[in-house]
Amino acid sequence: MAKMWAGRTDGVTDKLADDFNSSIKFDSRMYKQDILGSVAHATMLGEKNIITKAEVDAIIDGLTGILADLESGKLEIDFSCEDIHMFVEQVLTARIGDLGKKLHTARSRNDQVALDTRMYLRDRAFSIQAKIKELLFAILSKAEEHKSSIMPGYTHLQRAQPITFGHHLMAYAMMFLRDLDRFSDVLKRIDVCPIGSCALAGTTYQTDRVFEAQKLGFSQIALNSIDGVSDRDFCVEFASACSILMMHLSRFSEEIILWSSWEFKFVELSDAYTTGSSIMPQKKNSDMAELVRGKTGRVYGNLIALLTMLKGLPLAYNKDMQEDKEAVFDCADTVDMCLDVFAPMVATMKVLTENMLTASQKGFINATDLADYLVKKGLPFRSAYKICGQIVGDCIKNGKVLETLSIEEYKKYSDLFDMDLYGEISLETCVKKRVSEGGTSPDSVAKQIELVKEKLLNV
Ligand code: ARG
C-alpha cells in the first residue's frame, strides 16, 4: 500500500526497507499521548479559526473514539503502518472521512514525535519517582528498626570502624533521595512543549503555541522551532537519571549479595526473592539482586547509545532520532522492574544482627577509639596513633584483641592508660559517641531518618 506521504514518490517502499524504517513496533506504546496531543492540536486550530468548531468537534469525537477503542481492545494497532502517528491519522480518516486529513494542519511529525516522547517520559518519570519513594519508605523503616544494631563499617572492604546498620542503610536513603531530585530536574527539562515548531521553521498559520502547551500541561514552549524538533537532551537526561539510579541499586545489590554469603551472613533474603540451584541442594541465590546489578549495564548502554546517536547530527530532524525511543523505553522499563522487586526485597530482608555484632568484635575495629582515648588524656593524635598501631601489631602477633589485653599490658605502652579504657573502646560506646551530624550514633541516625521523611513530604 502507498504511504500517506506518497506524492513526490509513489510511496511504495521495498518490504525490507519498510520494516527497517518503521517504528510502530515500539512507538505504539505512545498511542495515548499521540491522541491527547492531537486533541489539543485540533482544539487550538479551532480556537484560532483555522478549522471550524464543527470540524474540531468531529475530529475530537473521532480521536476519543479511537482512544476508547484501543483501550478496550476493540481496535488493534495495525503494525503495517509506519508509526503510531500515521496509524492514528489513518484510522481517524477512515472513521470521519477527509476531515481527518485536516488535523495535520500547522503540524509535522517532527514536532509531533517530540511532543509525544516528552509526554510519555513525563508520565514515566512521575511513576519512577513514586517507586523510588516506596523504596525509600522500605529503607527508612528498616533503618529505624536497626538504628542501634552494630555492624562493621568498611573501607577498602576491610573492617574500619563500628557503625550501625541503620546508618549504613541511611547512606542509601540519601542516594535515592538525590535520585528523586534528579528526576524532578529531568521533569523541568521535559516540561517544554515543542508542538508548533512544525517541520523545523514554524508555520505561516496564526497558531497559538502557548494555548496548546497549556492544554497539554506544559509550562513552557520551545523558544526556537529548530531546537524544538532537534532537542533530545531530555532523553539523555532521563537515561542519565536512570543510569545513576541503577548505579545506586547496583551498589546496594552488590552489598546484599555479599551480606547473604556464608562468609558474611549479615542478612537473609526472603525465599520470595531468591532462587535455588538445579544441582546444589544447599543453594539460596540472590538472583534478583544479581539481575539488578546486571541490568545496570543495559541502562548505561542506552545512555551511551543516545549520546552517540546525537553527537554527529546536523540540525534539525534526522531519522537517526527515531532510535531515541527504544533507548528511553528500555531505561524506563528496566528501572521500573528493578524498583518493583527491590523495595519488597529490602522490606522482607531478615537482618542477622548477632552475626553483624560478632563480625565487629575481632577486627580491631575500635583501634581509632583507643587512639582517641589517649588523645583525650592529652597525647597528640599522631603519637597516640603510633602507640595504638604498635599495640594492634603486637596483639596480632600474640593472638590477642584489644578487649582482652590486661591493664598491665596496656601500661607498658603508655601510663595514660587506665581501667576506664575498656568502657571507652566497647563497640556500644564507639557507636554512641559518634554524635557529629550525619554520624553513626543511634541519635544521629534517628535525626537522619526524620530529615529524609521531611524531605519526602516536599517531593
Ligand atoms: N517515527 C518517527 C520517529 O520516531 C517520527 C518522525 C518522522 N518524521 C519524519 N520526518 N520522517 O522519529
Side-chain angles (χ1 to χ4, degrees):
M1 197 171 81
K3 292 280 180 273
M4 284 173 92
W5 40 255
R8 152 125 192 225
T9 69
D10 61 9
V12 182
T13 43
D14 171 79
K15 169 83 178 77
L16 283 179
D18 214 35
D19 289 347
F20 184 62
N21 191 47
S22 126
S23 55
I24 195 155
K25 299 184 284 306
F26 48 85
D27 65 20
S28 57
R29 60 160 86 195
M30 302 195 301
Y31 71 88
K32 192 170 177 182
Q33 289 75 16
D34 194 74
I35 292 171
L36 295 178
S38 289
V39 168
H41 190 63
T43 311
M44 185 281 291
L45 291 177
E47 230 27 64
K48 298 300 286 179
N49 295 316
I50 298 168
I51 59 176
T52 69
K53 292 279 182 319
E55 288 174 328
V56 175
D57 291 345
I59 290 175
I60 292 182
D61 252 20
L63 287 169
T64 45
I66 295 172
L67 180 58
D69 291 350
L70 279 172
E71 307 228 288
S72 69
K74 217 161 108 189
L75 173 66
E76 277 178 18
I77 303 274
D78 174 1
F79 288 99
S80 70
C81 286
E82 188 176 320
D83 55 31
I84 189 62
H85 328 294
M86 290 302 203
F87 168 76
V88 172
E89 200 181 318
Q90 186 178 297
V91 179
L92 182 69
T93 307
R95 288 188 175 190
I96 67 169
D98 271 0
L99 174 58
K101 296 179 182 168
K102 289 201 175 182
L103 174 62
H104 213 50
T105 313
R107 181 173 85 166
S108 145
R109 265 191 301 162
N110 297 350
D111 54 348
Q112 192 181 355
V113 72
L115 171 69
D116 292 4
T117 311
R118 283 176 183 271
M119 289 170 67
Y120 182 83
L121 288 186
R122 181 171 62 183
D123 292 348
R124 297 300 298 258
F126 279 127
S127 114
I128 290 172
Q129 282 191 313
K131 287 171 196 277
I132 295 176
K133 275 193 205 169
E134 265 177 51
L135 173 59
L136 272 165
F137 286 126
I139 293 174
L140 289 177
S141 76
K142 271 269 169 304
E144 177 79 52
E145 212 181 302
H146 292 286
K147 55 177 188 273
S148 308
S149 310
I150 292 173
M151 74 178 282
Y154 297 84
T155 62
H156 312 268
L157 204 56
Q158 300 282 334
R159 289 173 192 167
Q161 289 177 343
I163 56 170
T164 58
F165 187 55
H167 189 213
H168 197 105
L169 287 176
M170 285 310 292
Y172 283 107
M174 302 304 167
M175 299 182 207
F176 294 122
L177 199 60
R178 287 197 293 278
D179 288 318
L180 264 185
D181 204 36
R182 232 180 309 275
F183 277 99
S184 296
D185 223 41
V186 172
L187 278 160
K188 271 189 235 155
R189 236 88 59 209
I190 288 180
D191 186 26
V192 176
C193 188
I195 201 73
S197 299
C198 303
L200 80 163
T203 182
T204 53
Y205 295 97
Q206 297 292 308
T207 52
D208 186 343
R209 292 191 53 206
V210 172
F211 171 88
E212 197 167 339
Q214 280 168 352
K215 281 247 155 257
L216 293 167
F218 286 93
S219 62
Q220 296 172 64
I221 60 165
L223 297 177
N224 176 297
S225 61
I226 301 176
D227 184 48
V229 291
S230 310
D231 173 26
R232 291 295 183 275
D233 291 3
F234 65 98
C235 294
V236 175
E237 289 193 54
F238 181 84
S240 163
C242 288
S243 296
I244 298 174
L245 167 63
M246 287 301 295
M247 180 263 286
H248 294 156
L249 288 172
S250 186
R251 292 182 80 170
F252 204 171
S253 295
E254 169 63 16
E255 295 214 286
I256 290 176
I257 295 160
L258 268 181
W259 294 338
S260 305
S261 68
W262 282 91
E263 285 70 14
F264 277 81
K265 265 205 164 302
F266 286 179
V267 300
E268 186 175 348
L269 290 176
S270 146
D271 289 359
Y273 300 98
T274 54
T275 62
S277 151
S278 56
I279 170 169
M280 297 165 281
Q282 83 284 11
K283 291 288 276 247
K284 182 168 173 179
N285 298 327
S286 330
D287 284 27
M288 311 307 137
E290 288 168 40
L291 262 179
V292 169
R293 190 178 57 184
K295 284 180 187 291
T296 303
R298 63 190 288 161
V299 175
Y300 291 1
N302 291 326
L303 172 63
I304 299 298
L306 282 167
L307 286 167
T308 313
M309 179 272 284
L310 288 166
K311 77 180 264 293
L313 286 192
L315 304 181
Y317 178 84
N318 297 270
K319 191 74 173 201
D320 315 44
M321 290 159 87
Q322 180 167 286
E323 290 285 309
D324 62 357
K325 279 171 284 301
E326 280 169 294
V328 285
F329 295 167
D330 188 65
C331 282
D333 294 348
T334 307
V335 160
D336 263 7
M337 271 192 298
C338 291
L339 287 170
D340 282 345
V341 294
F342 216 91
M345 182 176 78
V346 168
T348 55
M349 176 172 83
K350 198 157 120 200
V351 183
L352 306 173
T353 48
E354 277 305 306
N355 294 346
M356 285 182 172
L357 184 64
T358 310
S360 313
Q361 272 158 350
K362 286 172 191 151
F364 301 97
I365 208 165
N366 42 6
T368 316
D369 298 86
L370 187 67
D372 283 343
Y373 171 87
L374 290 178
V375 171
K376 279 174 200 151
K377 298 238 165 169
L379 212 60
F381 182 78
R382 276 286 154 235
S383 320
Y385 172 91
K386 193 150 183 214
I387 292 174
C388 294
Q390 282 165 352
I391 299 177
V392 169
D394 292 345
C395 279
I396 292 171
K397 258 187 245 142
N398 306 319
K400 292 189 176 161
V401 292
L402 297 181
E403 289 84 347
T404 57
L405 210 61
S406 71
I407 190 67
E408 290 72 33
E409 284 171 299
Y410 269 116
K411 289 237 186 252
K412 282 187 213 148
Y413 296 95
S414 166
D415 269 350
L416 295 172
F417 283 124
D418 236 319
M419 283 309 285
D420 59 344
L421 85 87
Y422 296 102
E424 285 300 301
I425 64 165
S426 84
L427 296 181
E428 286 71 22
T429 316
C430 297
V431 160
K432 216 180 264 164
K433 283 202 163 171
R434 287 204 160 62
V435 288
S436 52
E437 292 102 328
T440 205
S441 73
D443 284 352
S444 158
V445 173
K447 211 171 285 162
Q448 292 168 44
I449 295 172
E450 277 323 301
L451 286 173
V452 172
K453 275 188 184 159
E454 236 168 73
K455 289 202 184 232
L456 280 180
L457 292 177
N458 303 317
V459 192

